[in-house]
Amino acid sequence: MTDRVEELRRNLAAVQHRITAACAAAGRDPAEITLIVVTKFFPASDVVALADLGVTDIGENKDQEAAAKVAELPPAVRERLTVHFIGQLQTNKARSVARYADAVHSVDRSKLVRALDKAARAARDAGERTSYLPVLVQVDLGEGAQAGRGGAHPDDVERLAEEVAATGHLRLRGVMAVAPLGLDEDGTRRAFERLAAHAETVRRVDPAATWISGGMSGDLEIAVAAGATHLRVGTAILGSRPVGR
Ligand SMILES: *Cc1c(COP(=O)(O)O)cnc(C)c1O
């Protein structure tokens, strides 16, 4: 094993241990949780190493980087992975993302719903994907000065979910959020509890929309306690990135 593979193995095991402990504390079954390893900034070789270590889901937040990285993966590795797009998305990148993403977590406005639906249809017509594109409504959990850092306003979540459900080529899978910066543990817990309430609203639109994507390296235990089903963990497994990535 190279040093890097050994480092990834050790970090992955530590995060899996944290998830198991958080589930035990919350009385939840670890099988309910999907760990998405966020590989943004890190090379395709790390993705290959992670897949060899048993990772099944990766997350990326920039189209250009993700498209190139996914294309670089050996087909046998690509086939085993679920690729989640988790970053802010411009409508002019929708067509590219629909080629390789197995799910998009960051749907936050009507215009993007329409662009992704059109893109998913074009990708299907071109033989680049065989089925609908699963998407999540990203919710802005910020309050006051913390609001507006990404995601739909809470008042718009139900309408966006209905818009997704009415498309022909997208499938509503649930909700996603990033906890606002600078909150203490209690504030973060309340934010993830609001996310769980939004998840209920979205499940009323489509009962199959069961995913709650919340929790990162620093707050995954709090997210698990509040009901998250998908954790997006980067730093704790791959190491630190340059500021802003
Ligand atoms: C980078 C990123 C993550 C991972 O964050 P870490 O703190 O490195 O675990 C999770 N979610 C989104 C949307 C991200 O952009």
Side-chain angles (χ1 to χ4, degrees), residues 36 38 40 60-61 86-88 138 176-178 213 215-218 231-237 239 241 245:
I36 300 171
V38 179
K40 64 186 184 192
E60 287 285 336
N61 75 335
I86 62 173
Q88 265 207 356
Q138 183 180 350
M176 179 274 227
V178 177
S213 170
M216 319 202 318
S217 293
L231 306 173
R232 308 177 310 270
V233 179
T235 315
I237 295 170
R241 302 174 296 267
R245 289 301 325 269

PDB file of all heavy atoms in Angstrom, residues 36 38 40 60-61 86-88 138 176-178 213 215-218 231-237 239 241 245, ligand 1:
ATOM      1  N   ILE A  36     -21.046   9.810   1.260  1.00  0.00           N
ATOM      2  CA  ILE A  36     -20.573  10.341  -0.021  1.00  0.00           C
ATOM      3  C   ILE A  36     -19.203  10.976   0.257  1.00  0.00           C
ATOM      4  O   ILE A  36     -19.106  11.916   1.046  1.00  0.00           O
ATOM      5  CB  ILE A  36     -21.541  11.415  -0.562  1.00  0.00           C
ATOM      6  CG1 ILE A  36     -22.945  10.825  -0.769  1.00  0.00           C
ATOM      7  CG2 ILE A  36     -20.998  12.015  -1.871  1.00  0.00           C
ATOM      8  CD1 ILE A  36     -24.006  11.878  -1.094  1.00  0.00           C
ATOM      9  N   VAL A  38     -16.436  13.356  -0.621  1.00  0.00           N
ATOM     10  CA  VAL A  38     -16.325  14.532  -1.488  1.00  0.00           C
ATOM     11  C   VAL A  38     -14.876  14.663  -1.970  1.00  0.00           C
ATOM     12  O   VAL A  38     -13.977  15.003  -1.195  1.00  0.00           O
ATOM     13  CB  VAL A  38     -16.801  15.802  -0.744  1.00  0.00           C
ATOM     14  CG1 VAL A  38     -16.656  17.031  -1.639  1.00  0.00           C
ATOM     15  CG2 VAL A  38     -18.265  15.636  -0.318  1.00  0.00           C
ATOM     16  N   LYS A  40     -13.708  16.591  -4.487  1.00  0.00           N
ATOM     17  CA  LYS A  40     -13.356  17.850  -5.158  1.00  0.00           C
ATOM     18  C   LYS A  40     -11.932  18.263  -4.790  1.00  0.00           C
ATOM     19  O   LYS A  40     -11.511  18.057  -3.635  1.00  0.00           O
ATOM     20  CB  LYS A  40     -14.333  18.954  -4.752  1.00  0.00           C
ATOM     21  CG  LYS A  40     -14.294  19.313  -3.277  1.00  0.00           C
ATOM     22  CD  LYS A  40     -15.393  20.307  -2.930  1.00  0.00           C
ATOM     23  CE  LYS A  40     -15.283  20.729  -1.477  1.00  0.00           C
ATOM     24  NZ  LYS A  40     -16.473  21.459  -1.013  1.00  0.00           N
ATOM     25  N   GLU A  60     -18.836  15.803  -6.103  1.00  0.00           N
ATOM     26  CA  GLU A  60     -18.030  16.816  -6.772  1.00  0.00           C
ATOM     27  C   GLU A  60     -18.847  18.097  -6.847  1.00  0.00           C
ATOM     28  O   GLU A  60     -20.083  18.050  -6.933  1.00  0.00           O
ATOM     29  CB  GLU A  60     -17.659  16.358  -8.193  1.00  0.00           C
ATOM     30  CG  GLU A  60     -16.611  15.250  -8.232  1.00  0.00           C
ATOM     31  CD  GLU A  60     -15.193  15.763  -7.920  1.00  0.00           C
ATOM     32  OE1 GLU A  60     -14.918  16.970  -8.115  1.00  0.00           O
ATOM     33  OE2 GLU A  60     -14.364  14.942  -7.475  1.00  0.00           O
ATOM     34  N   ASN A  61     -18.168  19.270  -6.839  1.00  0.00           N
ATOM     35  CA  ASN A  61     -18.933  20.521  -6.819  1.00  0.00           C
ATOM     36  C   ASN A  61     -18.636  21.475  -7.972  1.00  0.00           C
ATOM     37  O   ASN A  61     -19.182  22.565  -8.003  1.00  0.00           O
ATOM     38  CB  ASN A  61     -18.737  21.240  -5.480  1.00  0.00           C
ATOM     39  CG  ASN A  61     -17.384  21.917  -5.371  1.00  0.00           C
ATOM     40  OD1 ASN A  61     -16.428  21.508  -6.035  1.00  0.00           O
ATOM     41  ND2 ASN A  61     -17.289  22.941  -4.555  1.00  0.00           N
ATOM     42  N   ILE A  86     -22.805  18.203  -6.158  1.00  0.00           N
ATOM     43  CA  ILE A  86     -23.275  18.853  -4.928  1.00  0.00           C
ATOM     44  C   ILE A  86     -23.033  20.357  -4.927  1.00  0.00           C
ATOM     45  O   ILE A  86     -23.295  21.030  -3.931  1.00  0.00           O
ATOM     46  CB  ILE A  86     -22.587  18.228  -3.682  1.00  0.00           C
ATOM     47  CG1 ILE A  86     -21.069  18.436  -3.739  1.00  0.00           C
ATOM     48  CG2 ILE A  86     -22.918  16.730  -3.563  1.00  0.00           C
ATOM     49  CD1 ILE A  86     -20.350  18.007  -2.462  1.00  0.00           C
ATOM     50  N   GLY A  87     -22.517  20.905  -6.049  1.00  0.00           N
ATOM     51  CA  GLY A  87     -22.126  22.321  -6.049  1.00  0.00           C
ATOM     52  C   GLY A  87     -23.160  23.221  -6.693  1.00  0.00           C
ATOM     53  O   GLY A  87     -24.082  22.761  -7.361  1.00  0.00           O
ATOM     54  N   GLN A  88     -22.984  24.512  -6.501  1.00  0.00           N
ATOM     55  CA  GLN A  88     -23.817  25.498  -7.177  1.00  0.00           C
ATOM     56  C   GLN A  88     -23.726  25.263  -8.667  1.00  0.00           C
ATOM     57  O   GLN A  88     -22.636  25.050  -9.197  1.00  0.00           O
ATOM     58  CB  GLN A  88     -23.290  26.896  -6.866  1.00  0.00           C
ATOM     59  CG  GLN A  88     -24.014  27.511  -5.721  1.00  0.00           C
ATOM     60  CD  GLN A  88     -24.010  29.033  -5.806  1.00  0.00           C
ATOM     61  OE1 GLN A  88     -23.385  29.622  -6.699  1.00  0.00           O
ATOM     62  NE2 GLN A  88     -24.677  29.656  -4.881  1.00  0.00           N
ATOM     63  N   GLN A 138     -32.087  21.890  -2.755  1.00  0.00           N
ATOM     64  CA  GLN A 138     -31.182  22.441  -1.742  1.00  0.00           C
ATOM     65  C   GLN A 138     -31.871  23.575  -1.006  1.00  0.00           C
ATOM     66  O   GLN A 138     -32.423  24.495  -1.619  1.00  0.00           O
ATOM     67  CB  GLN A 138     -29.881  22.949  -2.379  1.00  0.00           C
ATOM     68  CG  GLN A 138     -28.906  23.455  -1.316  1.00  0.00           C
ATOM     69  CD  GLN A 138     -27.585  23.971  -1.876  1.00  0.00           C
ATOM     70  OE1 GLN A 138     -27.298  23.789  -3.066  1.00  0.00           O
ATOM     71  NE2 GLN A 138     -26.805  24.611  -1.023  1.00  0.00           N
ATOM     72  N   MET A 176     -31.394  18.737   0.441  1.00  0.00           N
ATOM     73  CA  MET A 176     -29.973  18.870   0.790  1.00  0.00           C
ATOM     74  C   MET A 176     -29.740  20.233   1.422  1.00  0.00           C
ATOM     75  O   MET A 176     -30.439  21.192   1.105  1.00  0.00           O
ATOM     76  CB  MET A 176     -29.131  18.757  -0.485  1.00  0.00           C
ATOM     77  CG  MET A 176     -27.632  18.894  -0.291  1.00  0.00           C
ATOM     78  SD  MET A 176     -27.013  20.591  -0.314  1.00  0.00           S
ATOM     79  CE  MET A 176     -25.625  20.422  -1.398  1.00  0.00           C
ATOM     80  N   ALA A 177     -28.771  20.299   2.351  1.00  0.00           N
ATOM     81  CA  ALA A 177     -28.361  21.601   2.879  1.00  0.00           C
ATOM     82  C   ALA A 177     -26.949  21.527   3.448  1.00  0.00           C
ATOM     83  O   ALA A 177     -26.450  20.449   3.789  1.00  0.00           O
ATOM     84  CB  ALA A 177     -29.315  22.082   3.969  1.00  0.00           C
ATOM     85  N   VAL A 178     -26.345  22.700   3.507  1.00  0.00           N
ATOM     86  CA  VAL A 178     -25.069  22.899   4.203  1.00  0.00           C
ATOM     87  C   VAL A 178     -25.418  23.700   5.453  1.00  0.00           C
ATOM     88  O   VAL A 178     -26.116  24.711   5.356  1.00  0.00           O
ATOM     89  CB  VAL A 178     -24.105  23.717   3.316  1.00  0.00           C
ATOM     90  CG1 VAL A 178     -22.801  23.994   4.040  1.00  0.00           C
ATOM     91  CG2 VAL A 178     -23.856  22.999   1.987  1.00  0.00           C
ATOM     92  N   SER A 213     -29.805  14.955   2.652  1.00  0.00           N
ATOM     93  CA  SER A 213     -28.364  15.123   2.461  1.00  0.00           C
ATOM     94  C   SER A 213     -27.884  16.284   3.315  1.00  0.00           C
ATOM     95  O   SER A 213     -28.117  17.454   2.991  1.00  0.00           O
ATOM     96  CB  SER A 213     -28.079  15.356   0.969  1.00  0.00           C
ATOM     97  OG  SER A 213     -26.742  15.753   0.745  1.00  0.00           O
ATOM     98  N   GLY A 215     -24.733  17.196   6.630  1.00  0.00           N
ATOM     99  CA  GLY A 215     -23.642  16.667   7.431  1.00  0.00           C
ATOM    100  C   GLY A 215     -22.368  16.583   6.625  1.00  0.00           C
ATOM    101  O   GLY A 215     -22.343  15.999   5.547  1.00  0.00           O
ATOM    102  N   MET A 216     -21.308  17.174   7.155  1.00  0.00           N
ATOM    103  CA  MET A 216     -20.001  17.208   6.515  1.00  0.00           C
ATOM    104  C   MET A 216     -18.972  16.760   7.561  1.00  0.00           C
ATOM    105  O   MET A 216     -19.319  16.211   8.603  1.00  0.00           O
ATOM    106  CB  MET A 216     -19.714  18.614   5.972  1.00  0.00           C
ATOM    107  CG  MET A 216     -20.945  19.244   5.326  1.00  0.00           C
ATOM    108  SD  MET A 216     -20.696  20.577   4.137  1.00  0.00           S
ATOM    109  CE  MET A 216     -19.437  21.572   4.847  1.00  0.00           C
ATOM    110  N   SER A 217     -17.697  16.989   7.275  1.00  0.00           N
ATOM    111  CA  SER A 217     -16.651  16.510   8.183  1.00  0.00           C
ATOM    112  C   SER A 217     -16.858  16.982   9.618  1.00  0.00           C
ATOM    113  O   SER A 217     -16.642  16.226  10.560  1.00  0.00           O
ATOM    114  CB  SER A 217     -15.274  16.987   7.702  1.00  0.00           C
ATOM    115  OG  SER A 217     -14.947  16.374   6.479  1.00  0.00           O
ATOM    116  N   GLY A 218     -17.279  18.237   9.779  1.00  0.00           N
ATOM    117  CA  GLY A 218     -17.316  18.832  11.111  1.00  0.00           C
ATOM    118  C   GLY A 218     -18.599  18.598  11.885  1.00  0.00           C
ATOM    119  O   GLY A 218     -18.641  18.840  13.098  1.00  0.00           O
ATOM    120  N   LEU A 231     -24.389  11.671   4.010  1.00  0.00           N
ATOM    121  CA  LEU A 231     -23.378  12.568   4.567  1.00  0.00           C
ATOM    122  C   LEU A 231     -22.373  12.859   3.462  1.00  0.00           C
ATOM    123  O   LEU A 231     -21.981  11.965   2.718  1.00  0.00           O
ATOM    124  CB  LEU A 231     -22.675  11.893   5.745  1.00  0.00           C
ATOM    125  CG  LEU A 231     -23.599  11.369   6.848  1.00  0.00           C
ATOM    126  CD1 LEU A 231     -22.794  10.552   7.880  1.00  0.00           C
ATOM    127  CD2 LEU A 231     -24.322  12.522   7.537  1.00  0.00           C
ATOM    128  N   ARG A 232     -21.945  14.120   3.363  1.00  0.00           N
ATOM    129  CA  ARG A 232     -20.982  14.523   2.328  1.00  0.00           C
ATOM    130  C   ARG A 232     -19.671  14.899   3.021  1.00  0.00           C
ATOM    131  O   ARG A 232     -19.550  15.981   3.572  1.00  0.00           O
ATOM    132  CB  ARG A 232     -21.530  15.705   1.528  1.00  0.00           C
ATOM    133  CG  ARG A 232     -22.948  15.490   0.965  1.00  0.00           C
ATOM    134  CD  ARG A 232     -23.434  16.742   0.257  1.00  0.00           C
ATOM    135  NE  ARG A 232     -23.261  17.939   1.070  1.00  0.00           N
ATOM    136  CZ  ARG A 232     -24.164  18.412   1.927  1.00  0.00           C
ATOM    137  NH1 ARG A 232     -25.343  17.825   2.070  1.00  0.00           N
ATOM    138  NH2 ARG A 232     -23.913  19.492   2.641  1.00  0.00           N
ATOM    139  N   VAL A 233     -18.718  13.985   3.013  1.00  0.00           N
ATOM    140  CA  VAL A 233     -17.508  14.169   3.817  1.00  0.00           C
ATOM    141  C   VAL A 233     -16.268  14.269   2.928  1.00  0.00           C
ATOM    142  O   VAL A 233     -15.958  13.342   2.173  1.00  0.00           O
ATOM    143  CB  VAL A 233     -17.352  13.015   4.823  1.00  0.00           C
ATOM    144  CG1 VAL A 233     -16.076  13.188   5.638  1.00  0.00           C
ATOM    145  CG2 VAL A 233     -18.569  12.936   5.744  1.00  0.00           C
ATOM    146  N   GLY A 234     -15.576  15.404   3.012  1.00  0.00           N
ATOM    147  CA  GLY A 234     -14.358  15.613   2.236  1.00  0.00           C
ATOM    148  C   GLY A 234     -13.117  15.591   3.098  1.00  0.00           C
ATOM    149  O   GLY A 234     -12.400  14.591   3.208  1.00  0.00           O
ATOM    150  N   THR A 235     -12.850  16.723   3.777  1.00  0.00           N
ATOM    151  CA  THR A 235     -11.630  16.936   4.547  1.00  0.00           C
ATOM    152  C   THR A 235     -11.243  15.786   5.476  1.00  0.00           C
ATOM    153  O   THR A 235     -10.067  15.415   5.532  1.00  0.00           O
ATOM    154  CB  THR A 235     -11.788  18.217   5.406  1.00  0.00           C
ATOM    155  OG1 THR A 235     -12.347  19.231   4.574  1.00  0.00           O
ATOM    156  CG2 THR A 235     -10.465  18.691   5.955  1.00  0.00           C
ATOM    157  N   ALA A 236     -12.204  15.242   6.187  1.00  0.00           N
ATOM    158  CA  ALA A 236     -11.879  14.210   7.180  1.00  0.00           C
ATOM    159  C   ALA A 236     -11.332  12.947   6.532  1.00  0.00           C
ATOM    160  O   ALA A 236     -10.691  12.141   7.199  1.00  0.00           O
ATOM    161  CB  ALA A 236     -13.122  13.872   8.022  1.00  0.00           C
ATOM    162  N   ILE A 237     -11.543  12.789   5.228  1.00  0.00           N
ATOM    163  CA  ILE A 237     -11.032  11.601   4.545  1.00  0.00           C
ATOM    164  C   ILE A 237      -9.850  11.930   3.636  1.00  0.00           C
ATOM    165  O   ILE A 237      -8.827  11.235   3.636  1.00  0.00           O
ATOM    166  CB  ILE A 237     -12.167  10.900   3.756  1.00  0.00           C
ATOM    167  CG1 ILE A 237     -13.220  10.367   4.741  1.00  0.00           C
ATOM    168  CG2 ILE A 237     -11.606   9.750   2.887  1.00  0.00           C
ATOM    169  CD1 ILE A 237     -14.493   9.869   4.105  1.00  0.00           C
ATOM    170  N   GLY A 239      -8.162  15.019   3.458  1.00  0.00           N
ATOM    171  CA  GLY A 239      -7.239  16.044   3.937  1.00  0.00           C
ATOM    172  C   GLY A 239      -7.730  17.416   3.530  1.00  0.00           C
ATOM    173  O   GLY A 239      -8.763  17.550   2.876  1.00  0.00           O
ATOM    174  N   ARG A 241      -8.085  21.200   1.881  1.00  0.00           N
ATOM    175  CA  ARG A 241      -8.020  21.797   0.551  1.00  0.00           C
ATOM    176  C   ARG A 241      -7.580  23.253   0.702  1.00  0.00           C
ATOM    177  O   ARG A 241      -7.657  23.812   1.787  1.00  0.00           O
ATOM    178  CB  ARG A 241      -9.417  21.800  -0.106  1.00  0.00           C
ATOM    179  CG  ARG A 241     -10.062  20.446  -0.239  1.00  0.00           C
ATOM    180  CD  ARG A 241     -11.496  20.581  -0.755  1.00  0.00           C
ATOM    181  NE  ARG A 241     -12.375  21.289   0.144  1.00  0.00           N
ATOM    182  CZ  ARG A 241     -13.144  20.702   1.062  1.00  0.00           C
ATOM    183  NH1 ARG A 241     -13.132  19.397   1.205  1.00  0.00           N
ATOM    184  NH2 ARG A 241     -13.918  21.418   1.837  1.00  0.00           N
ATOM    185  N   ARG A 245     -12.112  26.031  -1.351  1.00  0.00           N
ATOM    186  CA  ARG A 245     -12.470  24.840  -2.143  1.00  0.00           C
ATOM    187  C   ARG A 245     -13.140  23.783  -1.308  1.00  0.00           C
ATOM    188  O   ARG A 245     -13.120  23.245  -0.542  1.00  0.00           O
ATOM    189  CB  ARG A 245     -11.224  24.222  -2.805  1.00  0.00           C
ATOM    190  CG  ARG A 245     -10.645  25.026  -3.939  1.00  0.00           C
ATOM    191  CD  ARG A 245     -11.596  25.258  -5.076  1.00  0.00           C
ATOM    192  NE  ARG A 245     -12.529  24.153  -5.349  1.00  0.00           N
ATOM    193  CZ  ARG A 245     -12.292  23.168  -6.199  1.00  0.00           C
ATOM    194  NH1 ARG A 245     -11.169  23.138  -6.885  1.00  0.00           N
ATOM    195  NH2 ARG A 245     -13.182  22.232  -6.390  1.00  0.00           N
TER     196      ARG A 245
HETATM  197  C1  LIG B   1     -16.875  20.595   0.040  1.00  0.00           C
HETATM  198  C2  LIG B   1     -18.267  20.233   0.377  1.00  0.00           C
HETATM  199  C3  LIG B   1     -18.532  19.252   1.346  1.00  0.00           C
HETATM  200  C4  LIG B   1     -17.449  18.557   2.156  1.00  0.00           C
HETATM  201  O1  LIG B   1     -17.009  19.403   3.159  1.00  0.00           O
HETATM  202  P1  LIG B   1     -15.890  18.912   4.243  1.00  0.00           P
HETATM  203  O2  LIG B   1     -15.994  19.921   5.303  1.00  0.00           O
HETATM  204  O3  LIG B   1     -14.593  18.923   3.523  1.00  0.00           O
HETATM  205  O4  LIG B   1     -16.277  17.569   4.685  1.00  0.00           O
HETATM  206  C5  LIG B   1     -19.857  18.930   1.596  1.00  0.00           C
HETATM  207  N1  LIG B   1     -20.867  19.533   0.923  1.00  0.00           N
HETATM  208  C6  LIG B   1     -20.659  20.470  -0.027  1.00  0.00           C
HETATM  209  C7  LIG B   1     -21.811  21.086  -0.709  1.00  0.00           C
HETATM  210  C8  LIG B   1     -19.349  20.846  -0.329  1.00  0.00           C
HETATM  211  O5  LIG B   1     -19.136  21.791  -1.251  1.00  0.00           O
END
